Amino acid sequence: MSEATPGTSRPVDDRGERPVERADRNMIEMLQELRVAQTGVQILFAFLLSLSFTERFARIDDFQRWTYVVTLLLSSVTTGLLVAPAAIHRMLFGRGVKAATVRLGHHLFVAGLAALALTLVGAVLLVLDVAVGRSFALWSAGAVGVLLVGLWFVLPLPLRERTDADRDDEE
């Protein structure tokens, strides 16, 4: 699988990359993916912040108020998790730990996606509860949660298992 590059003793993978080159590419790819997620989270966070300053906010019931509070807090956590990989990269810049930084960033990104799914479910629950009623809101929010978990976490599993099996066959 790996071989030495002519004139060096550093192993090269199937893509012709040395470990440091792979870490650089993985960091760039992760930061690009984070930009996509962060934009949506920032818009949702701004929407949630502005809600409490509307006239109608004073008339929501306790369930809606707590749904709002939990969703606002989740959006803050989501923002923190999705910004953390870039912040960690900046704090560790030039220290020679990019591969470890990418691994840590990956775990934070996955946690951020989980928090984002919960945040979106909360936002759907809140808006639909106010707009059309609690029963429909609960069912819809649950359906959105199942859909997001399915798309983001379950759908990739067969491909992940196949690539893990391919790696085991190579070793």
Side-chain angles (χ1 to χ4, degrees):
M1 175 176 147
S2 57
E3 55 190 63
T5 304
T8 72
S9 60
R10 292 191 168 159
V12 175
D13 65 11
D14 293 341
R15 296 177 67 124
E17 294 176 317
R18 291 184 302 273
V20 70
E21 293 169 327
R22 183 175 46 256
D24 286 342
R25 179 180 51 80
N26 287 338
M27 178 60 77
I28 290 167
E29 289 177 5
M30 182 175 60
L31 292 175
Q32 287 291 79
E33 294 163 355
L34 284 165
R35 283 186 187 101
V36 172
Q38 286 171 349
T39 301
V41 171
Q42 289 168 344
I43 292 167
L44 179 57
F45 187 60
F47 164 73
L48 289 168
L49 285 175
S50 68
L51 277 182
S52 64
F53 298 103
T54 64
E55 183 181 321
R56 185 155 184 190
F57 189 80
R59 297 190 308 262
I60 64 174
D61 65 27
D62 282 344
F63 178 81
Q64 293 163 342
R65 188 172 319 282
W66 280 108
T67 301
Y68 170 79
V69 168
V70 169
T71 304
L72 179 67
L73 293 173
L74 279 170
S75 71
S76 297
V77 169
T78 301
T79 300
L81 287 167
L82 294 178
V83 171
I88 290 168
H89 175 254
R90 183 53 35 211
M91 297 304 295
L92 298 175
F93 182 77
R95 305 261 180 186
V97 292
K98 188 168 284 182
T101 302
V102 170
R103 281 190 301 277
L104 178 57
H106 163 74
H107 293 298
L108 291 166
F109 194 172
V110 171
L113 289 175
L116 178 56
L118 292 172
T119 303
L120 291 171
V121 167
V124 167
L125 177 60
L126 177 63
V127 171
L128 291 181
D129 189 21
V130 171
V132 295
R134 187 146 307 147
S135 180
F136 182 77
L138 289 167
W139 283 104
S140 298
V144 166
V146 168
L147 177 70
L148 294 176
V149 168
L151 288 172
W152 294 352
F153 300 102
V154 176
L155 186 62
L157 287 179
L159 186 58
R160 184 176 177 155
E161 289 170 3
R162 188 171 3 150
T163 58
D164 287 346
D166 290 347
R167 271 196 212 124
D168 290 342
D169 290 344
E170 291 174 1
E171 292 177 359

